[in-house]
Amino acid sequence: MGSGAAIPQWTSEPCIMGIDEAGRGPVLGPMVYGCLYCARSYEKTLSSLNFADSKTLKEEKREELFENLKADESIGWAVDIIDPRELSAKMLKKNKINLNEISHDSAIGLITKVLNMGVLLTEKPSERETRRHCRRICQWKRQYGQRILNKKTRSRTKLTGGSEQGLRGYGGDAEKYRTKLSERFPAVKFVVAKKADSLYPVVSGASIVAKVTRDRALQDWVLEETAEDLHKNFGSGYPGDPNTKAWLQHHKHLVFGFPTLVRFSWGTCTPYFKDIVEVLWESNETDADGSSSANGKRQLKLSNFGVTKSKRKIEEIESSDMFHESCDNPGTKFKCVRLINGLEL
């Protein structure tokens, strides 16, 4: 479906939807949440499109599948790109917002957008679908073992709901999150399941959408900083990657920190700033109790390195038809123009 396409008729039929994330763990780059949705009647065809957990696919295959689903008028998709500066700002602010909450908000935002577009996700699972879901879980148990199934892995727990809507990578307690979603979307029934991106093609498709979007964002990222010898050979971006560690060491600055590509709130960054320069400055702000010093100013000290303030001026939602982002320097600031049915807002 193209960006200027009208709302397709199939969205008024009972639909299925999957949500997945990419980039929850890396210390570099954005975190991306992606969703994929289609009519329930298209589910059998969806199963034949060879979607799979994006981690199990080579980059070339992921790119091919992503282009295929973009061209398929029976499939809709959307992404939410969360800039590393926003992640750091929220996790380092005085009233901290943890990664689980950020993830919840992103997923809820995607569900809300899709529902507001008129996509019917309120159909309850049938008894037949419930039995099929149980069979899939039993099959997964036999394949991987009960010990692994019961292991608490925040980034591997999946959530399915409604007509098998699915969400992965939200973090935290699965039952609490199911309750949170059910309260927010009472017309949709949510069911928690592990390995949804391997069990459900609609979630596998969402996994591909999120992963390819993040990979492209990193590939096209333009470093804003003007220091010499900057490069993008940062490896996978995961804390344990030797290339990532070497990149962080090379690009640290004892006053200004890291380039904005880095998530300053990650504990991975802390060891690099043992010798950070102490910064003192005067503030015109009054103390919390309303008092101030004799000259109306007080001295503040930068004791913890990190981003202190960030704001998303434009919600970074991209989608296949009704929502589309036209980005200037997409790897840098994600300054986007929103189009709905081809009309700029």
Side-chain angles (χ1 to χ4, degrees):
M1 295 184 295
S3 61
I7 298 176
Q9 286 188 329
W10 60 259
T11 58
S12 61
E13 303 176 22
C15 293
I16 59 175
M17 177 181 176
I19 298 179
D20 196 5
E21 55 77 26
R24 180 181 172 92
V27 68
L28 303 177
M31 180 170 70
V32 178
Y33 265 76
C35 74
L36 184 141
Y37 53 93
C38 66
R40 183 197 292 176
S41 59
Y42 194 71
E43 184 177 9
K44 186 175 181 179
T45 303
L46 190 70
S47 301
S48 68
L49 299 181
N50 298 318
F51 291 157
D53 177 5
S54 63
K55 298 184 298 299
T56 66
L57 301 172
K58 294 183 179 181
E59 181 179 358
E60 296 79 8
K61 187 62 176 179
R62 290 196 299 265
E63 289 282 347
E64 176 188 340
L65 292 173
F66 185 52
E67 293 301 322
N68 290 345
L69 71 85
K70 285 169 59 179
D72 192 329
E73 295 185 355
S74 296
I75 294 175
W77 58 275
V79 299
D80 184 19
I81 303 172
I82 308 173
D83 190 274
R85 287 166 293 188
E86 180 184 354
L87 293 171
S88 297
K90 287 184 173 181
M91 295 177 71
L92 292 173
K93 64 188 299 186
K94 184 176 181 180
N95 297 319
K96 300 181 185 301
I97 303 175
N98 64 38
L99 192 61
N100 289 345
E101 293 177 89
I102 297 172
S103 299
H104 293 180
D105 290 343
S106 181
I108 288 172
L110 286 173
I111 297 170
T112 301
K113 292 297 181 184
V114 171
L115 288 173
N116 288 344
M117 286 190 289
V119 180
L120 180 60
L121 299 178
T122 56
E123 186 75 9
K124 300 285 187 178
S126 66
E127 184 178 347
R128 179 181 178 184
E129 289 172 328
T130 301
R131 289 198 301 268
R132 181 172 57 183
H133 171 76
C134 292
R135 286 197 300 270
R136 284 175 171 172
I137 294 300
C138 291
Q139 180 183 5
W140 196 90
K141 285 182 181 180
R142 289 193 297 269
Q143 183 175 356
Y144 295 100
Q146 182 68 43
R147 180 184 63 82
I148 299 178
L149 182 68
N150 291 333
K151 184 179 179 180
K152 294 182 179 180
T153 53
R154 296 197 301 180
S155 64
R156 291 294 179 266
T157 302
K158 316 296 188 296
L159 175 129
T160 63
S163 301
E164 292 189 1
Q165 280 61 259
L167 185 149
R168 168 191 180 269
Y170 60 87
D173 183 88
E175 180 59 25
K176 287 183 179 179
Y177 188 49
R178 186 198 65 78
T179 301
K180 180 178 181 178
L181 285 173
S182 296
E183 291 175 351
R184 182 68 177 266
F185 305 102
V188 180
K189 183 178 180 179
F190 295 93
V191 180
V192 174
K194 291 179 180 292
K195 292 289 181 182
D197 52 359
S198 299
L199 296 171
Y200 299 94
V202 71
V203 184
S204 301
S207 174
I208 292 169
V209 168
K211 177 62 175 171
V212 172
T213 300
R214 174 176 154 81
D215 287 349
R216 290 181 178 182
L218 284 175
Q219 181 180 2
D220 299 334
W221 196 278
V222 179
L223 294 170
E224 296 179 323
E225 293 73 21
T226 58
E228 296 181 359
D229 300 326
L230 291 179
H231 63 80
K232 292 170 40 177
N233 301 323
F234 41 67
S236 66
Y238 281 90
D241 187 331
N243 291 329
T244 300
K245 292 180 178 179
W247 190 90
L248 289 171
Q249 182 64 37
H250 178 74
H251 288 78
K252 72 176 182 179
H253 191 287
L254 295 181
V255 175
F256 299 107
F258 288 112
T260 53
L261 175 66
V262 179
R263 304 175 187 179
F264 302 113
S265 55
W266 258 232
T268 308
C269 298
T270 304
Y272 293 93
F273 290 98
K274 294 179 180 179
D275 300 321
I276 187 173
V277 175
E278 183 176 274
V279 179
L280 299 174
W281 74 96
E282 289 185 336
S283 171
N284 289 322
E285 298 176 1
T286 57
D287 292 327
D289 60 2
S291 63
S292 61
S293 59
N295 60 1
K297 298 182 178 180
R298 61 192 178 98
Q299 193 176 62
L300 302 177
K301 180 170 69 173
L302 180 62
S303 57
N304 292 312
F305 176 77
V307 174
T308 57
K309 188 175 183 181
S310 178
K311 184 177 182 181
R312 293 169 81 184
K313 296 182 179 179
I314 301 178
E315 187 178 17
E316 290 133 10
I317 297 287
E318 179 181 3
S319 75
S320 53
D321 59 338
M322 278 67 73
F323 289 84
H324 177 72
E325 301 296 312
S326 174
C327 299
D328 298 324
N329 296 327
T332 307
K333 297 183 179 179
F334 296 102
K335 292 183 177 178
C336 301
V337 176
R338 173 174 294 170
L339 301 179
I340 299 182
N341 292 335
L343 301 177
E344 181 176 336
L345 297 185

